[in-house]
Amino acid sequence: MISQLLNTLYVQTQSAYVHLDHDTLVVEVDKTVRLQVPLHHLGGLAVFGNVLISPFLIHRFAEDGRSIVWFDQNGRFRARLVGPVSGNVLLRRAQHEAYEDPDRRAFLARRFVTGKIRNARHVLLRAMRDYPDVGSRVEAAARELENCLKEANRATDLEEIRGVEGRAAAVYFSVLDCLILNKDAAIRFEVRTKHPPRDPVNSLLSFAYTLLAHDCASACEGVGLDPQVGYLHALRPGRPALALDLMEEFRAFLADRLVLTILNRRQISEKDFIERPGGAVLLTDQARRTFLEAYQRRKQEEITHPLLRQQVPVGLLPHIQARLLARYLRQDAAEYAPFVAR
Amino acid sequence: MEELVPISALQHYVYCPRQCALIHVEQVWEENLYTLRGQRLHQTVDVPDSALRDGLRVERALPLWSEKLGIVGRADVVEFLPDGTPYPVDYKTGPRRARRADEVQLCAQALCLEEMLGRAVPSGALYHHASRRRREVRFTAELRAEVEKVVAEVRELLGNDRLPAPAADSRCRDCSLVEACMPHALRGLPAWLEREWK
C-alpha cells in the first residue's frame, strides 16, 4: 500500500469499542456512536489502553494490509497486527545473505549512519539560517558533524561505524537545547534520557521515536522485509533491528524537528507533563493528542523526494526507502541511498 | 517437474517483463493491482457459479489448466454455445483498446479449454467494462504459436528470479506498479549518487 498515504486513527478513550459496519469503521463509547469513518480514508488504527476492537474489523484490516497497533495507556507499544506472511521469500533470503556478508552489511550500516548524520546536520544548519542568534555552539557542532560524516564514509568496520554514530549523536544532542526557543525553565534539554525519559523534552522525543519506529516497521513489512533483521543494529530477540536502521535517517528530519516546532510554538507546555516519583516524566493524554495531531499533519505534507524527483507525502518516505532497500537487497538497484533532507 | 505458469503471468509478461516479475517473483503488488482497479469488477465474476442465460450455459470463475503447456489459471467467464463449443470471455477494466497481451491471455485460456474438454475453441471475447462492449478475438495459428513462445519465456523468467531492468518508457504511465517498480529512480540512481553522495 505504497501508493496512498492514509490517515491513522488514534483511539485513546478508555472502554471505547471499535468495530466494522460494512465499509466503515465505527467507534462507540458507552453504546453511543462517537465516530464513523469510511475505511478508504484509513491506513491504520492505533489504540491506547482499554479499547476493544471487533474480530471482524481486525480480519478486514489484516486482509487490506491496514495496520493496527496496540499501545498501553502510557503510549508504550504492546502489539501490532500482522496478516499472513507477506511477499517474497527470495527477498527475505537476500536480506539474510546481506547480513552474513561483512562488506554489504557494513555498506548498509554506513549508509544509514551517514544518512542520519546528514539529516541531523541539516536540522542544525536550518536553525542557523532561520534563527541567526542560535549561537556559535550550534555552528561548531554542525562542523563537527561534517567531520563525523567524513569519518563515517571512510569507516569499513561495523564497530567503527557505530562509534562514529554514537559520537555524532552526542554532538548533536549537546546543542539541541539551543534550538528550543521557548525559554520556559521546565522545557530544557540537557542530555538524552530514555527508559524512562526524565524530562519533558525527552519524553516527547521518546514518544516521537516510538511512533516513527512503528511506521518504519510497517514500511519494512509492507515491502516484505523482515523488520527484525537489521545491519547497523545488533540482532536481539524482539528488537526490530531493520526498522531501527531505517529510522536513523528520519529521526532528526521527522521526529526531532516536530518536537522542536511544537515546543517553540508552545503547543505543548509544562502543564502537559506528569512527573512520577523518582523522576520519570510522562505525557498527559492531552499532550499525546496534540502531538499525534501534529505528527499526522506533518505526514500529510508533501516534499520532493531527491532521488525520485517526485512530490511525495512525508509519511510515505519510510515506505519509499524500504522499497529502495528491498531493491538493493534483491540486486535490482546497485546501491542504497538514504533519504536526505534538503 | 516443470513449474506451472499462471495464465495471468502471460498477460503481464507481454505488457512488460518486469511487471510480470514484480508480480510473480517479487510478489509485491498482486493485491494492489486488484484493489486499485479490478476488485469491484471481479467481485461479480470471481464467484464460482454455473447458470443459464439466454439459453447459454455460463460458467464463472472456471478453473483452467493445460498439462501440455504447463499453465494454470481461471477463466472469468466461459459460455457454452448451443452446440457445446466453449467461448471464453475475459473481463478488462481498461478502455476498449486492442492489446496483444489481453489476446495472448485469452488464447491461453482457449488452449486450456481445448485440452480439458477435447473440443475446438475457435474464438472468444474480451469484455471492456469501461465501454461495456465485447471485442471478439479469433484464435489464429499465429496467436497460438505466440502463446507457446510466451509460456516458454515466462517460465524462464520465473525460474531465474531476477528482475529485468525497468522499461522507463510510455508503458509506465499506465502501469499500476510504477511505484513498486521505480523505473525512473532506478535508472537515475547511479548518476544521482555520483552527484550527491561523494
Side-chain angles (χ1 to χ4, degrees), chain A residues 71-326:
Chain A
F71 296 93
D72 71 10
Q73 230 182 314
N74 296 320
R76 186 170 309 161
F77 172 75
R78 282 284 166 252
R80 185 158 42 82
L81 175 70
V82 179
V85 172
S86 73
N88 188 354
V89 62
L90 300 174
L91 172 60
R92 289 193 298 277
R93 268 191 55 80
Q95 188 182 352
H96 286 98
E97 279 162 13
Y99 180 86
E100 298 295 337
D101 177 340
D103 290 342
R104 299 186 80 201
R105 187 172 176 198
F107 166 76
L108 283 171
R110 196 161 60 235
R111 283 288 159 93
F112 293 132
V113 168
T114 47
K116 172 182 185 160
I117 299 174
R118 283 174 79 148
N119 286 319
R121 182 170 160 270
H122 186 258
V123 168
L124 302 187
L125 295 179
R126 232 178 104 99
M128 283 159 57
R129 201 179 56 220
D130 293 351
Y131 315 108
D133 47 353
V134 287
S136 55
R137 279 180 58 215
V138 176
E139 204 180 323
R143 266 200 311 276
E144 186 52 31
L145 289 185
E146 186 73 49
N147 292 334
C148 292
L149 199 55
K150 284 191 190 120
E151 264 179 67
N153 264 322
R154 276 195 304 266
T156 49
D157 174 78
L158 200 56
E159 283 315 310
E160 201 182 338
I161 297 166
R162 286 182 180 145
V164 182
E165 190 241 347
R167 214 149 47 71
V171 168
Y172 170 74
F173 280 127
S174 76
V175 295
L176 194 70
D177 194 56
C178 304
L179 275 44
I180 302 174
L181 307 173
N182 170 348
K183 290 301 170 205
D184 288 357
I187 310 293
R188 301 268 48 100
F189 181 88
E190 269 177 50
V191 67
R192 175 82 184 115
T193 55
K194 43 194 174 179
H195 313 301
R198 266 143 281 175
D199 61 54
V201 178
N202 272 297
S203 65
L204 268 179
L205 286 174
S206 288
F207 187 53
Y209 295 152
T210 304
L211 297 175
L212 186 56
H214 290 294
D215 284 349
C216 289
S218 302
C220 292
E221 294 207 336
V223 303
L225 288 163
D226 179 344
Q228 290 202 333
V229 178
Y231 303 95
L232 172 65
H233 288 84
L235 303 195
R236 190 177 297 165
R239 172 195 275 177
L242 186 67
L244 297 176
D245 284 1
L246 188 60
M247 179 177 162
E248 294 297 356
E249 53 196 87
F250 297 112
R251 280 179 189 270
F253 175 75
L254 255 167
D256 302 353
R257 265 176 59 182
L258 191 61
V259 167
L260 291 170
T261 304
I262 278 180
L263 291 174
N264 289 340
R265 288 190 188 145
R266 296 176 183 273
Q267 286 170 281
I268 288 181
S269 54
E270 191 181 347
K271 64 176 182 357
D272 291 308
F273 302 92
I274 303 162
E275 189 173 340
R276 304 288 298 158
V281 173
L282 309 179
L283 297 175
T284 61
D285 280 1
Q286 184 51 49
R288 216 179 287 122
R289 188 167 295 143
T290 306
F291 190 83
L292 287 169
E293 279 168 17
Y295 185 67
Q296 208 50 33
R297 265 200 309 279
R298 176 74 180 126
K299 289 208 291 186
Q300 305 284 353
E301 283 172 25
E302 296 213 330
I303 61 148
T304 305
H305 189 282
L307 174 59
L308 267 58
R309 278 192 245 154
Q310 185 186 321
Q311 290 278 107
V312 292
V314 165
L316 276 192
L317 291 171
H319 291 263
I320 291 168
Q321 294 304 123
R323 170 73 65 214
L324 285 167
L325 181 59

